[in-house]
Amino acid sequence: MSGTDVDTGAPAEWKKYDSYTLEVDPDQDDRATEIKLCNFSRPHMRAFHFSWLGFFIAFFIWFAIAPLLSEIRTTLGLSKKEIWTSSIVGVGGTIFMRFLLGPLCDKVGSRVLFTSVLCFASIPTACTGLVSSATSLAILRLFIGSAGGTFVMCQYWTSRMFTKNVVGTANALVGGWGNLGGGVTQLVMGSALFPLFKEIFKNEANPAEIAWRWVSIVPAVVAFGIGVAMFFFSDDSPKGNYNELKKHGAMADVSAAASFRSGALNFNTWVLFIQYACCFGVELTMNNAAALYFKDKFSLTTEEAAAIASIFGWMNLFARGLGGFFSDKANAKAGMRGRLWTQTILLLVEGCLVLVFANTASLEGAIVVMVFFSLFVQAAEGSSYGIVPYVDPPSTGSISGIIGAGGNTGAVAFGMGFRELEYKDAFIIMGSTIIASSVLSFFICIPGCSRMLGGEDDVPAKDTLAVPTPETDKVEDVNA
């Protein structure tokens, strides 16, 4: 609502809400200083819950086909290389989407983009049953893979809603609960809906084939519905939707190209790009590989392998959130140095556990190691996005997109290894690469922030945030 400043009599800046349920910091563009998980009020917590829910269903449809790949392989007579080609294409296509969606977030906000991508990706998901060859499978997964781009909106949205003292936790929670869709889809699609549809079509000549051809319609409908609901029942920012803010002169129009250029020319962006490739890229690879790995190595059924593979994704319920929480706590004690050491330790332990997993011969042992391996993978993802909002606040959307694309780039690279090598060799290469990436934190140097082995934080407690101002049509430090 707009009005008049009671002290000066001048017109007050326009904003949609006069008051908020959460405590906010006016100096940080009315971002919330707290997170109340059981609250669903607009704008802050509504955006929080739509962020994780939207990314959850996006992740669900993105990998809904993964637990069914063994059945598709049998029906279509596909080879291991053809299956892995489709998996690589499915995560590789998202790289472009994340590069594109990052700067668009800075320009139009998360809400419209989230809705558009979810509704679009639900269409090829519903068409899964039309697959008839290796080529059509790869093309289908390319279009479904656009759903993975929603990660950028997920992270940008919470960065837009919460102050930096809690944004690490907020980003980690919505990202982790969203990633949880990768585990839930293994269980729901492979161990619940697939057997259910087989039972429904049990009198047909080939119930298994008919089941996998029809089952993906269910998540497609749900994804489309959530996308529509998100558009009508949430807000782009604490003060309202971007189009409303621009209409009332409360927000300058942002150049997507300029935002991308600023993010892409920042050295720290590319260091985090590589590190995110070695955590989120690993998770994407495991989402594609886990069910096939357990079925082939331990001679399990499709349902059994899917249930075990789902454990990896289920760790997102708390693991990524823990990474963000530890990053925030380390920041409170040691500033950016604390965040960087948290990042390094998590990546180092993750890489070591991958090497242990590669050399575990028993089913029971593999499951136990996978649980801890998954915990550190996802915690490292959370700590990564505890650093992102500091890199260059005016270009947070672009930087989130570029670093997010790093995760998919890592998945493509690791997927090529699994496509060409035996499982053990591919895991060893992946683990060694992760360990090497952990040392890159020493090269991160963010202006105004401490480094791992030197420097001091200029603003220790309440960090400055940048917001676009219509007067200058640029982004200025609100605390300057």
Side-chain angles (χ1 to χ4, degrees), residues 16-34:
K16 186 173 182 178
Y17 301 101
D18 290 325
S19 61
Y20 306 103
T21 302
L22 274 61
E23 293 293 327
V24 302
D25 184 351
D27 290 335
Q28 297 192 52
D29 209 30
D30 284 359
R31 285 170 167 87
T33 61
E34 58 183 350

Side-chain angles (χ1 to χ4, degrees), residues 59-73:
F59 225 101
F60 193 106
I61 62 175
W62 190 10
F63 290 99
I65 202 170
L68 308 175
L69 287 175
S70 60
E71 298 294 336
I72 296 173
R73 178 177 60 186

Side-chain angles (χ1 to χ4, degrees), residues 14-17 43 235-242 244-245:
W14 185 92
K15 58 183 180 180
K16 186 173 182 178
Y17 301 101
D235 306 282
D236 290 324
S237 74
K239 294 182 179 180
N241 294 325
Y242 278 19
E244 297 171 325
L245 292 168

Side-chain angles (χ1 to χ4, degrees), residues 341-352:
W341 274 107
T342 300
Q343 173 91 336
T344 300
I345 293 169
L346 291 174
L347 284 169
L348 180 61
V349 177
E350 173 199 338
C352 293

Side-chain angles (χ1 to χ4, degrees), residues 59 63 176 179-187 278-291 293-294 305-320 350 353-354 357 366-379 381 427 430 434:
F59 225 101
F63 290 99
N179 285 1
L180 183 62
V184 175
T185 198
Q186 298 276 356
L187 191 62
C278 291
C279 49
F280 188 61
V282 172
E283 179 174 0
L284 294 181
T285 303
M286 287 299 291
N287 285 337
N288 281 318
Y293 174 75
F294 280 104
I308 293 172
S310 73
I311 297 172
F312 193 95
W314 276 102
M315 298 300 290
N316 274 298
L317 189 61
F318 65 91
R320 185 165 181 151
E350 173 199 338
L353 287 171
V354 173
F357 183 77
I367 293 172
V368 171
V369 175
M370 185 180 71
V371 168
F372 289 98
F373 156 33
S374 176
L375 191 155
F376 280 91
V377 168
Q378 289 143 20
E381 295 166 8
F427 276 121
M430 186 163 72
I434 297 166

Side-chain angles (χ1 to χ4, degrees), residues 236-306:
D236 290 324
S237 74
K239 294 182 179 180
N241 294 325
Y242 278 19
N243 61 335
E244 297 171 325
L245 292 168
K246 292 174 184 177
K247 178 181 176 181
H248 291 88
M251 178 181 179
D253 197 11
V254 176
S255 167
S259 171
F260 180 80
R261 183 169 58 251
S262 177
L265 293 177
N266 194 308
F267 175 75
N268 300 304
T269 300
W270 297 103
V271 174
L272 290 168
F273 176 96
I274 296 171
Q275 292 189 325
Y276 201 62
C278 291
C279 49
F280 188 61
V282 172
E283 179 174 0
L284 294 181
T285 303
M286 287 299 291
N287 285 337
N288 281 318
L292 288 171
Y293 174 75
F294 280 104
K295 180 171 183 176
D296 293 344
K297 184 174 179 63
F298 300 106
S299 302
L300 304 178
T301 65
T302 298
E303 292 83 355
E304 290 170 339

Side-chain angles (χ1 to χ4, degrees), residues 61 122 125-129 189 193 197 211-223:
I61 62 175
S122 66
T125 301
C127 295
T128 297
M189 296 297 289
L193 287 180
F197 273 63
W212 74 254
R213 288 189 181 277
W214 283 91
V215 70
S216 291
I217 292 177
V218 176
V221 172
V222 175

